[in-house]
Amino acid sequence: MLFRSKLCFASSEAELRQMRNAYTSIFLVSASIAGLLKEKGIKPDVVAGFNQGEYAALYAAGGWQLPDGLYLLNKFASFYQEFLDGTSVEAMHIIGPSTDVVEEICEKVNKRSKEKAYIALYQTKDRHTVAGYTSAMEKVRTFLSEQREQKIKMASEDLAVGLHSSLMDPVIERYKMYLEKIDFRDLEVCMLESLNGECIERGAKTKERVLKRIHSPVAGS
């Protein structure tokens, strides 16, 4: 645990930019805060986590032990990084067009190409992150540039946010076997599902959610 503390508080920016280190540090800090609140007798009514934050939310809700959450998160980070190293994918933050417009553009691209692009993060009604194969993302940019009636901003997004679509299926195939080694407990409080606000409390449902989060889009505030 000493190494983990050093990672959180004494690492360089370059070290924390590495996906596995970033995921681990965020999880440990969040879990530590949850632990301190518990020591003070403060119990949440509900918990929620954005993106990888759901690992800490599950810990805060009693869904698994700290080592189990850390173990799974590190496995996921390793498999995801290996996938990225061997695949030409990218993510793009888009500001301006509505959800309907962005979904329509992705649908057009996917009908015309074997390589796909999807909305990975629904942040607000006019802010989205789209992820896909590089060739598909070029088509997304082309379609967006044709939207003359509104101002659109596009910027590259760090792939650490996740692809949150069927693009992640190869990662899931490697990752899911490790879920069988973890004791998923019924939650002590409700965890809100990030896309539709569904309340999750059963351990079996939590296990499904861990996989679903990887290949399903994530909603923001």
Side-chain angles (χ1 to χ4, degrees):
M1 188 58 70
L2 178 61
F3 167 75
R4 300 302 182 186
S5 298
K6 182 179 179 181
L7 175 65
C8 292
F9 302 110
S11 295
S12 66
E13 183 175 347
E15 288 174 312
L16 289 174
R17 282 181 180 273
Q18 296 176 34
M19 189 181 302
R20 179 170 178 169
N21 291 341
Y23 286 176
T24 298
S25 298
I26 292 171
F27 172 78
L28 288 174
V29 170
S30 300
S32 296
I33 293 171
L36 287 172
L37 291 173
K38 186 175 183 179
E39 285 183 4
K40 300 293 184 181
I42 300 173
K43 182 179 179 180
D45 295 320
V46 297
V47 298
F50 179 70
N51 209 352
Q52 314 303 342
E54 286 192 0
Y55 282 81
L58 281 172
Y59 169 72
W64 54 25
Q65 295 182 336
L66 183 94
D68 290 339
L70 187 60
Y71 171 79
L72 281 182
L73 186 58
N74 285 337
K75 285 294 182 184
F76 169 72
S78 295
F79 296 151
Y80 182 38
Q81 186 62 66
E82 289 172 18
F83 171 76
L84 294 178
D85 291 343
T87 312
S88 181
V89 292
E90 58 183 272
M92 178 171 60
H93 186 54
I94 303 168
I95 302 175
S98 67
T99 297
D100 289 344
V101 170
V102 180
E103 286 179 338
E104 182 180 354
I105 287 174
C106 289
E107 186 177 347
K108 283 182 181 179
V109 170
N110 294 345
K111 284 182 177 179
R112 301 182 184 191
S113 174
K114 291 182 179 179
E115 297 195 325
K116 310 300 183 182
Y118 306 93
I119 298 180
L121 277 69
Y122 290 82
Q123 289 152 305
T124 67
K125 63 182 180 180
D126 61 356
R127 289 173 178 258
H128 307 81
T129 294
V130 172
Y133 289 100
T134 299
S135 61
M137 294 299 292
E138 288 297 328
K139 294 181 176 68
V140 171
R141 290 187 184 88
T142 298
F143 283 126
L144 285 170
S145 67
E146 295 172 355
Q147 302 291 314
R148 306 293 186 185
E149 68 277 6
Q150 59 183 311
K151 185 176 181 180
I152 297 175
K153 294 182 179 179
M154 295 177 276
S156 296
E157 183 73 273
D158 193 321
L159 288 170
V161 302
L163 304 179
H164 297 292
S165 65
S166 60
L167 299 169
M168 294 293 286
D169 286 350
V171 176
I172 288 176
E173 284 303 309
R174 299 183 64 190
Y175 176 73
K176 64 184 181 182
M177 64 177 288
Y178 292 93
L179 298 183
E180 305 306 320
K181 302 179 180 181
I182 302 301
D183 178 23
F184 285 86
R185 306 169 176 175
D186 290 345
L187 305 188
E188 297 168 5
V189 298
C190 165
M191 185 180 84
L192 296 179
E193 203 270 355
S194 60
L195 188 58
N196 58 25
E198 177 188 356
C199 177
I200 300 173
E201 295 179 290
R202 302 292 295 175
K205 188 71 173 179
T206 298
K207 186 177 181 180
E208 292 176 12
R209 175 59 199 159
V210 171
L211 282 179
K212 182 180 177 183
R213 184 198 59 78
I214 296 172
H215 66 76
S216 297
V218 174
S221 57

